[in-house]
Amino acid sequence: MLLLIAAAVAGRYEPEVSGRGSGWSYVGAAYSRFTTEFWTEGGEDRRFELPASVSTWQLAASGEYGLHSRLALTASVPLIWAKTEEKNESICERWDMCDDLLGTGDLRLGLRSGWALGPLDLAAMAEVASGIGYRHGIDDLAAPGDGNTDLIGGLNLGWRDERGDFAWTLAAGSRFEWGLGRPPSAFEAGGQASLRWRVVELGGELQIYNSLGGLDFNSATTVERLEDPDRFTVINNDYTSLAPRLSLYRDPWGVHLSTWRALRVESGPEDLQGIGLGVSWWGQRAG
């Protein structure tokens, strides 16, 4: 979930594809924290079982470069450091799931293609995401993924408009994942809006993520599932998040301060929140 929210801050729903010879890059650091609770199954008789508090630092670099007027190369490399601060004796000693983590998250390399449909932009993508960098920590609470190499495909439809210094984007789409970790496919939707005054821009984004199948977070961490080595490879973390942003621009550079918080969580940590600071660079659009 952390990686998805961090991606949203960097412009996950941008429907327009960079033209040939143009593109953008983003480098930033982010900090997030959540405290979650694990419960046994049993409807109204479910009881509190295991607590955990996790803090995560992430250093990420991402970018896009236009290979053609309708085709762009994309890449993303996150470095993760996660620490479980509140360690329950049972889960940490018996199940050995509370190690501090330091390694890469999903290393992503892909292609994006876009078409203009009147006022709408349709974008298709194909991507390879490799989590081999943190495979050693897949059974830890703070592991940022399933530790497997996945093939991802998706379609995204966006609607952009500008009225003077006010701009907004609405977009929705689906992605489908195939891989050893059997990650769930998902439906995603989001909206961005910004108001700019000279070099200062205030913006925000609302993001909705709904998995299409998979275990939910609580079911995957019950006592019955702890013996299953695949328990974290099909987790379903549906959520809605809000991410306000303050940006300063001096072409072609931008500095972005953002924060985010989960507003709705179907399963998993309900108090996930974080803050990030990053620098972006936009290359000349060549059409």
Side-chain angles (χ1 to χ4, degrees):
M1 182 189 299
L2 167 66
L3 296 179
L4 292 174
I5 293 178
V9 174
R12 181 179 183 83
Y13 290 108
E14 173 61 56
E16 185 179 16
V17 174
S18 298
R20 182 177 182 180
S22 65
W24 58 270
S25 58
Y26 175 89
V27 177
Y31 169 81
S32 67
R33 176 182 172 83
F34 69 85
T35 300
T36 191
E37 297 175 346
F38 299 86
W39 301 78
T40 58
E41 297 295 327
E44 296 181 356
D45 296 329
R46 295 195 307 173
R47 62 181 178 81
F48 171 79
E49 186 171 294
L50 298 171
S53 296
V54 178
S55 293
T56 302
W57 284 94
Q58 174 178 303
L59 179 64
S62 57
E64 179 175 290
Y65 179 76
L67 302 174
H68 186 269
S69 59
R70 292 183 179 176
L71 185 66
L73 178 69
T74 65
S76 178
V77 182
L79 180 65
I80 304 292
W81 180 73
K83 182 178 180 62
T84 304
E85 297 173 339
E86 182 177 343
K87 297 186 177 182
N88 178 276
E89 181 178 353
S90 174
I91 196 170
C92 293
E93 294 187 4
R94 179 180 178 184
W95 303 106
D96 193 25
M97 294 168 57
C98 300
D99 295 334
D100 294 342
L101 299 179
L102 177 61
T104 59
D106 281 334
L107 308 177
R108 296 177 179 267
L109 183 65
L111 295 171
R112 246 183 13 118
S113 182
W115 301 269
L117 304 175
L120 302 179
D121 290 304
L122 177 65
M125 56 85 73
E127 187 176 67
V128 176
S130 174
I132 193 170
Y134 55 76
R135 182 183 292 273
H136 67 283
I138 186 56
D139 289 335
D140 289 292
L141 292 177
D146 61 21
N148 296 291
T149 298
D150 307 313
L151 177 64
I152 305 169
L155 288 173
N156 191 57
L157 186 65
W159 184 13
R160 298 177 294 115
D161 198 6
E162 295 183 11
R163 302 293 174 88
D165 294 327
F166 179 72
W168 55 269
T169 299
L170 295 176
S174 293
R175 65 173 184 167
F176 303 92
E177 303 190 20
W178 301 269
L180 297 174
R182 302 185 303 282
S185 299
F187 168 79
E188 298 171 285
Q192 298 184 66
S194 62
L195 179 63
R196 188 164 180 174
W197 181 74
R198 295 186 179 179
V199 300
V200 179
E201 183 176 273
L202 295 176
E205 177 166 3
L206 182 70
Q207 182 183 17
I208 300 171
Y209 175 90
N210 282 298
S211 298
L212 303 177
L215 296 170
D216 64 35
F217 187 86
N218 294 329
S219 297
T221 51
T222 59
V223 173
E224 292 79 8
R225 294 286 297 177
L226 286 176
E227 296 284 4
D228 184 352
D230 294 328
R231 61 184 176 273
F232 290 141
T233 63
V234 286
I235 289 179
N236 175 343
N237 274 328
D238 298 345
Y239 68 91
T240 301
S241 66
L242 180 66
R245 168 179 56 83
L246 172 64
S247 298
L248 299 176
Y249 291 97
R250 185 178 179 86
D251 291 338
W253 299 94
V255 179
H256 314 278
L257 176 65
S258 57
T259 181
W260 63 89
R261 183 176 180 84
L263 302 180
R264 173 197 65 90
V265 176
E266 190 78 15
S267 60
E270 297 181 352
D271 62 345
L272 177 63
Q273 55 188 318
I275 187 170
L277 179 64
V279 176
S280 65
W281 180 84
W282 290 85
Q284 180 68 36
R285 291 191 182 275

